[in-house]
Amino acid sequence: LKSWSPWPVLAPLPRIAHIVCVCVERPCLKCGHGSEVALAECVTMPRGTPAPRAAQEMARKKKAVREDRQAQAHGVSSAQFRAAAVATPQRRSSLKRAWQRAKEPPHASPVAEAGTVLAKKGRLSVADPGAEASELDAAVNSALKIHSELLQLFSSGKEWCDACEMAEKRTAELYSELLDLFRVLFPASAADRQSEESIGGRAYSVAEIQGRLVEGGKEGVGVPLAERMAQLRSESADGLARDALCVVLAVLASRKDMCWLEAHDTEVPVRGYFAHALANAHSSLRISMLNSIWGPRPASLLVTSRVPLRTALENTDSGGPLKEMKPEMWLGGQACETLQFAMQELEDSDDLGAFGTLIEERALVRTLVPEPKLRELLLSQVEVLAVEAYAALAPRDAAAAEGLSEVIQGEFLLLLRKAKADGVPVLLQLGGRNPHLLARKVYLRPAFTELGLRCGYLRWRPSAEGPWAREQKAEDRVCLGLQLP
């Protein structure tokens, strides 16, 4: 076959007893020869015969495209990725140091070089074009610019679900740049605690950032949240870095099921949902990361706070499930003594949440049993561990490719185990448009339920003789996750 024609082969060939057609789209599946070779000739060639040059070139191009995608996911150049892929562990360490030296000019910090890199990418916003912006400001400005771009999706008249889906897609496109920002802002944020953990034999790092008490009043009293946040980011470089880091985390956590780009309350300027924890001394942010030769890769985020159970419920959507209770019921006396509370749990099944959040997916009201432990916690000031946010910090494809899911699930399992060992109750709200589906996919896993985690709705009644109080309207009902000691 010298002409490599895509047309049927009509000339007689050795050991060919019939006419065959040449395929010009894919290599032969039997011997791996190029698409220019007729199937009949493949039958006569010994297995393992070297493929023609065209097929080898095609394979080389496919490998190059695959390596380019992996390099982009790691946030490095293709040349750096290929060099590390064929290197020994000692060589990888050497390459890592070389890359770091190449990024850092003499006597410059990693933050300084990151500002230069981000400026070249066109995300550096400087008031005076002739002046050289500080390196930390460059990273901060870049983070705010990306966040502002995605936040506009929610103010453009689109449906919330559509805006979330578009935000997730845009986050995946910017993932490499967001990793650059994280690797600049995280070291500058000066985490309060760092440790090493492992799950399933896989080691990873954990950093915790504790919220701070702002001078001028007690926690949440006297100083508005927006002012507390502004004071923290203006009083130190690490305060500014932490504020911008929370912005990057909010972008990384964007999923079509749930987005964290909007404000926690009504604070302005908006820094995403997580930043409010920086101005609350009872709150903390726990970030898990996988370590690689290219730097830390964020896996998950847990935002928690230590508050009384009643306060934690009031901080959920729509004022919580107990907002209809009369104030005098909490003041003691006979009205308080007869109060009863129970958890109306979701009935786990393969179809839970498949058709939306249906009332029929809960236990029947007549089967509810009062829980004295719930009443004791609600009437006391014993603190619970309120999980305000639990989010993955990578697009779905990147999380699957890098095996981040095991770490993400392991972090929540570690939280439940530690709380159980310490005798601390855990409370969380199941957010999103379909909390029942979220419960089935995430929180009702056997590893979690074996520790006592339940999902459902909190119900109350004034006394054992009376009926359970009427719930709020469907869109205001709060689906909760609860683990008691």
Side-chain angles (χ1 to χ4, degrees), residues 74 76 79-85 87-104 110 183 187 196 205 290-297:
H74 285 286
V76 298
Q80 292 173 340
F81 181 84
R82 293 188 184 103
T88 61
Q90 295 80 5
R91 177 59 178 161
R92 290 193 185 104
S93 300
S94 177
L95 286 171
K96 179 181 178 181
R97 291 191 296 270
W99 296 344
Q100 291 175 341
R101 287 195 298 270
K103 287 183 178 181
E104 301 176 8
R183 290 163 182 169
E196 298 295 325
S205 299
L290 288 180
N291 298 317
S292 69
I293 61 175
W294 298 286
R297 177 182 295 272

Side-chain angles (χ1 to χ4, degrees), residues 177-330:
E177 188 168 340
L178 291 168
L179 284 180
D180 290 340
L181 288 171
F182 178 84
R183 290 163 182 169
V184 170
L185 295 170
F186 172 70
S189 64
D192 297 294
R193 292 178 296 275
Q194 297 193 48
S195 60
E196 298 295 325
E197 301 287 351
S198 65
I199 182 73
R202 188 173 191 182
Y204 64 95
S205 299
V206 170
E208 294 187 47
I209 298 177
Q210 185 68 37
R212 298 175 180 175
L213 178 63
V214 178
E215 297 181 1
K218 292 184 179 180
E219 199 63 51
V221 180
V223 182
L225 175 60
E227 293 184 19
R228 301 203 310 268
M229 293 171 61
Q231 181 176 335
L232 286 175
R233 61 175 168 261
S234 62
E235 64 184 14
S236 63
D238 64 317
L240 179 65
R242 290 183 175 195
D243 185 80
L245 178 64
C246 286
V247 172
V248 173
L249 297 178
V251 177
L252 285 170
S254 296
R255 293 288 181 92
K256 66 178 182 180
D257 308 306
M258 184 66 185
C259 268
W260 309 89
L261 297 167
E262 299 174 287
H264 171 261
D265 193 6
T266 58
E267 68 272 13
V268 177
V270 179
R271 292 294 191 263
Y273 184 88
F274 308 136
H276 77 280
L278 299 174
N280 186 340
H282 300 293
S283 299
S284 65
L285 298 94
R286 179 182 170 96
I287 307 168
S288 67
M289 300 163 287
L290 288 180
N291 298 317
S292 69
I293 61 175
W294 298 286
R297 177 182 295 272
S300 69
L301 172 68
L302 279 166
V303 181
T304 59
S305 60
R306 292 291 190 104
V307 292
L309 179 57
R310 183 181 166 191
T311 302
L313 290 170
E314 291 173 351
N315 290 338
T316 59
D317 291 349
S318 305
L322 305 180
K323 71 175 184 179
E324 304 295 339
M325 291 181 61
K326 297 180 181 180
E328 55 266 24
M329 290 184 174
W330 301 106

Side-chain angles (χ1 to χ4, degrees), residues 373-407:
K373 186 64 175 179
L374 265 177
R375 179 181 179 278
E376 179 184 345
L377 287 172
L378 283 166
L379 297 178
S380 69
Q381 292 298 311
V382 176
E383 292 184 345
V384 302
L385 183 63
V387 181
E388 300 184 37
Y390 168 45
L393 297 178
R396 298 175 193 270
D397 292 343
E402 297 298 323
L404 301 181
S405 299
E406 186 178 15
V407 175

Side-chain angles (χ1 to χ4, degrees), residues 110-127:
V111 176
E113 179 57 21
T116 305
V117 173
L118 296 170
K120 291 179 180 178
K121 291 185 176 181
R123 295 214 174 257
L124 176 58
S125 175
V126 187

